[in-house]
Amino acid sequence: MTVIPIVIRHSGKKYDVEVDLDEPGEVLKFQLYSLTGVDPDRQKILVKGGQLKNDTDLTTLGLKPNQTLMMLGTAGDLPKEPATKMTFVEDMTDKQLAQAMKTPIGLVNLGNTCYLNSTLQCLRLMPELSEELNTFENSTNGASSISVGGQSTLTKSLRDLYRDMKQQTMAYYPLSFLQTLRLVFPQFAEQEEGRYKQQDAEEAWSQILSVVNASLKQSSPSAQSFVDKYMTGTFSTSMKCLESDVEPVVTGSERFLKLDCHITGETNFLKNGLVASLKETIEKNSDALGRNAQFELEKKITRLPKYLTVHFMRFYWRRDTRKKSKILRKVTFPFEIDVSDLCEDKLRDKLVTVRDKVRELRKAKEEKVRAAKRARTILADDDNMSEDAGASASAGEKKEDEIAKLQSEVDAAVDPTLKTDEGSSVTGLYELIGVISHQGKSADSGHYQCWSKLDSEEYASVGKDARAVGGSSQKEEPKWWRFNDDKVTIVDQSKIESMAGGGESDSALILLYRSIEV
């Protein structure tokens, strides 16, 4: 009987084991089962030349005292009785079906209402909005009530719309909300030749948010709404006369709900248009000169919200046609954007420290995933087991320690003032989660659609029947929902890339970015 001590590494832990070299490999596996809870059939113990098998002669492995071996495998729980009784599809109510199905529902076009449908679908991508709407109650207290002008009614109608959509399995008719919108904002009730006219989705977006913000602020104990906390940023402004040094520089601050992307003959990228919108020349009266003069207005961001809205300024008023015409120029936009360079120095310094740490953390997580894939590939072929599998597994465990360390560094790097500012971005890094596109020549015609990004779990859970034309299951690129009124399908991210413009086909009008969390 020859017994030597060895060390087994598993899931970041080390186990000291006394091994009898006269026994087969199966005995060692049962020893490890008692220590780790991993069933012997699920254990993959990496040894020289391959994987330890049940009938392996341990004396042939050349094991030395205190040698370390790597074990892979997870402990599995025994099957348990379902906590809830199984319900078959034919026995489900509409509400239960809506909760079970992963495919979101569309909105029926009620006559040139694609502008509204796309806006409602995009606003719904922010779960905090629905959560706060659910706490809103219609107020009717006196003449100062937010019900004046129908604002409270519109907010209540939006709340009910989103509630109903959660409980439906078929395309929804947003008739009640549409009627209320037209009462509050008669511009959306304009008709031409007996038909309701097409409208600008950006105007619908802005008007709806202005009403919701006012209503929610009135009902909020803190006098701050979802819109204030999660969608509103602030600028510092500086107005300088370009024709006189005597004219004092006027500074101030202002709030914003969206960043505008100005489009000129030299605009090729989104960042170019954003920079142009933050510094412009205007003509106004100069007290020092006693006449109109040229002034430079410069803005710097002093607060970034969690959700950043970007508006492409594609529409402009043409006097000859008396319509909003469209700028068709191609302007490329990123799926991830860093806007720290648009911020005031004080805020930028706070963001950059966290941003750099977050990038390191994300890189480490990606490397861990790649290491896990390599280990699975090697382990899938038992005949070709090698020391590479052990190296990959060991690298994966080291990466876990590195990730934990980086996560602590990220948390520590967040400025205390940003931590306490609910709904603000602490990184300045954003990922694109929603797009409202427009197809056509003018704002008053054409077609609007909404597009929203699926996360990996969402894509894995949806049925194959939802993967419509345009989505290739062979490609591993990100997927997006396409909300074409009542039709909801899945497309590849390459479709979103094609919305940079350059023609009358779908081009991005509104981008909804979400701050990358720490």
Side-chain angles (χ1 to χ4, degrees), residues 241 247 282-295:
C241 182
E247 185 81 35
I282 62 175
E283 183 177 322
K284 64 184 291 289
N285 181 67
S286 168
D287 293 334
L289 299 176
R291 59 174 174 82
N292 282 354
Q294 297 292 311
F295 285 77

Side-chain angles (χ1 to χ4, degrees), residues 6 30 38 67 156 165 171 182 251 447:
I6 64 171
F30 275 100
V38 179
Q67 181 176 340
K156 175 177 176 293
M165 289 179 69
R182 287 172 174 168
T251 59
H447 185 56

Side-chain angles (χ1 to χ4, degrees), residues 307-324:
Y307 295 101
L308 185 65
T309 305
V310 175
H311 173 216
F312 284 98
M313 305 288 284
R314 289 195 174 276
F315 297 130
Y316 67 99
W317 182 257
R318 286 188 58 176
R319 293 183 180 179
D320 55 344
T321 62
R322 299 186 62 80
K323 289 184 177 181
K324 287 184 178 179

